[in-house]
Amino acid sequence: MFKGLSRNDLILLVGFTAFVLLMPIILKPVGAAYPALMQKFCIFGIFAIGFNILFGLTGYLSFGHAAFLGVGSYAAVWSFKLFTMNIIPAIFLSLFFAAIFAVVIGYVSLRRSGIYFSILTLAFAQMCYNLAYSVLTPLTNGETGLQLTLRDPRWIDAMFHEPGAGLPRATLFGLDTSGGGLGGFYLCAVILIICFYISMRIFRSPFGMMLRAIKSNQNRMRYTGFNTRPYLLAAFVISGMYAGLAGSLMAATDPLAGAERMQWTASGEVVLMTILGGVGTLVGPVVGAAVIKYFENIFSSFGPDTLHGVFSFLPDTIEDALVSFLSLFVGEGWNLTLGVIFVLLVIFMPGGIIEGLRRLWVIFTRKRDGGDAIPAATHPQPAE
């Protein structure tokens, strides 16, 4: 199972696993130890890992990955409505339909590269959004969103027990995964670890090396007679399936699906997550997803009262002036703070948070070792 992974990879995998499983303890000091929020960290981490397989390895920037997120959500909810509230069939159904959509969209979009590829994926995502919002209302329930009802047949569940008085809850063989509890978090956490491991295997495999070669110089590979299209399509489909899996987990933890999950803003958000954490790195997309979701859900709740409590030791005049200024960056202004951080990272750490931490580690170890020169070849390079 772990054959082919280096010692550093195994250490990274063990450390990542431990951190994810211990998040309820580790994140308590920063006020993020809520199961519903930690679910978001895991779900969007999976979404970003999948996007990074395409963008980080091949350099193809997709602006339409939210389409697969929405398809996965709709497929999962339909599985709950028609078959069973067990999430296993819902996950497999979401993966299947996300793969089908990815094959169709990827086959057309990958005929172009660069900005033309990005625009094509954006166009497909917007078409999917409009189809879900208006045209396919019988399947998607339009702007209201697809939800569970008491009239749903749930044929598999009906074979084994009588339906209850209220709406059923999504389960994993009896373990409740909906409602924002720890059961749903640990389900998402385990799947995140599995997805991280698969991503690591792809990065270290000959297939991953081929994708890196395509990113480095696709024209040269074509001149040698090598057909890059199947590799690009495979990467696109795998990336789309990751997004579909994330969509199914959204439905497993909250059984509803809406067209807003297909909007272009959701596609732009995963791009921001990946760039913020570090394009082409293994952990970077997960870090970027956690940072953005933390700002969106926790940092945005800070207000003037919180700031007054922090700076209460200062004289009233200075305290009021400082709180008035900082209030622009918290609460509803959390996007401004995130934008400033993103600008600073792009300027001073162009490889993202993970690459910046690597550079700081190199500087620290060099000073500790007496300032010995490090060969230029050993300097980490930011991902393109």
Side-chain angles (χ1 to χ4, degrees):
M1 180 178 180
F2 300 106
K3 185 179 180 180
L5 294 180
S6 66
R7 180 173 175 271
N8 289 338
D9 288 338
L10 291 175
I11 293 174
L12 176 61
L13 181 61
V14 171
F16 181 83
T17 301
F19 183 88
V20 171
L21 295 179
L22 294 175
M23 277 202 293
I25 300 174
I26 297 173
L27 297 183
K28 186 170 290 187
V30 295
Y34 299 102
L37 179 57
M38 292 186 294
Q39 285 174 11
K40 291 184 178 181
F41 290 165
C42 295
I43 291 172
F44 283 92
I46 293 170
F47 190 18
I49 286 174
F51 180 80
N52 189 50
I53 292 175
L54 177 68
F55 183 40
L57 289 179
T58 70
Y60 276 68
L61 176 59
S62 169
F63 281 128
H65 259 51
F68 310 123
L69 188 75
V71 167
S73 294
Y74 280 118
V77 175
W78 271 114
S79 175
F80 294 146
K81 292 171 72 68
L82 297 178
F83 305 117
T84 174
M85 292 303 296
N86 192 305
I87 66 170
I88 298 299
I91 288 176
F92 280 104
L93 199 65
S94 298
L95 289 172
F96 174 76
F97 279 102
I100 295 298
F101 270 74
V103 168
V104 174
I105 295 175
Y107 181 81
V108 177
S109 301
L110 288 170
R111 293 178 177 274
R112 294 293 180 265
S113 61
I115 188 62
Y116 304 105
F117 167 81
S118 301
I119 295 300
L120 279 173
T121 55
L122 176 61
F124 274 113
Q126 284 302 105
M127 284 191 289
C128 291
Y129 167 74
N130 284 285
L131 286 172
Y133 192 81
S134 58
V135 180
L136 298 179
T137 300
L139 291 176
T140 63
N141 204 26
E143 61 180 337
T144 305
L146 189 64
Q147 304 178 27
L148 302 180
T149 67
L150 294 175
R151 300 187 304 274
D152 296 333
R154 279 182 280 277
W155 295 311
I156 296 178
D157 287 348
M159 294 170 59
F160 298 98
H161 55 80
E162 292 293 328
L167 290 176
R169 301 170 72 90
T171 63
L172 177 62
F173 302 112
L175 174 66
D176 189 5
T177 62
S178 59
L182 282 175
F185 160 67
Y186 278 110
L187 165 71
C188 297
V190 170
I191 295 179
L192 171 63
I193 293 168
I194 295 173
C195 289
F196 180 80
Y197 170 75
I198 294 173
S199 173
M200 180 179 287
R201 300 295 303 194
I202 292 174
F203 269 66
R204 303 296 185 248
S205 68
F207 173 68
M209 294 293 291
M210 194 65 67
L211 296 179
R212 283 194 179 92
I214 293 172
K215 179 181 179 180
S216 177
N217 198 324
Q218 185 173 184
N219 288 332
R220 183 176 296 175
M221 297 185 70
R222 287 172 176 170
Y223 290 154
T224 61
F226 189 87
N227 185 9
T228 61
R229 186 71 60 79
Y231 289 89
L232 289 171
L233 183 59
F236 191 90
V237 172
I238 293 171
S239 184
M241 291 176 69
Y242 267 79
L245 175 61
S248 70
L249 291 178
M250 285 184 176
T253 55
D254 187 12
L256 58 87
E260 70 279 354
R261 292 179 181 173
M262 292 183 167
Q263 279 187 309
W264 66 270
T265 51
S267 297
E269 190 175 43
V270 74
V271 175
L272 183 60
M273 290 173 181
T274 308
I275 295 175
L276 187 64
V279 179
T281 62
L282 287 168
V283 183
V286 183
V287 174
V291 169
I292 289 180
K293 288 303 167 183
Y294 177 82
F295 270 83
E296 181 181 323
N297 292 273
I298 301 298
F299 194 79
S300 62
S301 65
F302 295 169
D305 293 339
T306 306
L307 296 176
H308 277 295
V310 173
F311 299 107
S312 58
F313 64 93
L314 296 174
D316 291 344
T317 305
I318 299 177
E319 177 187 343
D320 292 339
L322 192 58
V323 169
S324 298
F325 174 72
L326 294 179
S327 295
L328 300 174
F329 298 88
V330 299
E332 296 181 356
W334 70 271
N335 278 298
L336 180 59
T337 304
L338 185 62
V340 171
I341 293 175
F342 186 73
V343 170
L344 293 176
L345 281 172
V346 170
I347 294 174
F348 298 104
M349 298 180 181
I353 294 175
I354 298 301
E355 191 61 45
L357 293 176
R358 285 178 181 172
R359 292 186 178 186
L360 292 176
W361 176 255
V362 169
I363 294 172
F364 174 76
T365 54
R366 183 170 53 184
K367 289 182 178 180
R368 188 183 61 183
D369 295 338
D372 295 336
I374 297 178
T378 65
H379 283 287
Q381 299 296 322
E384 293 180 1

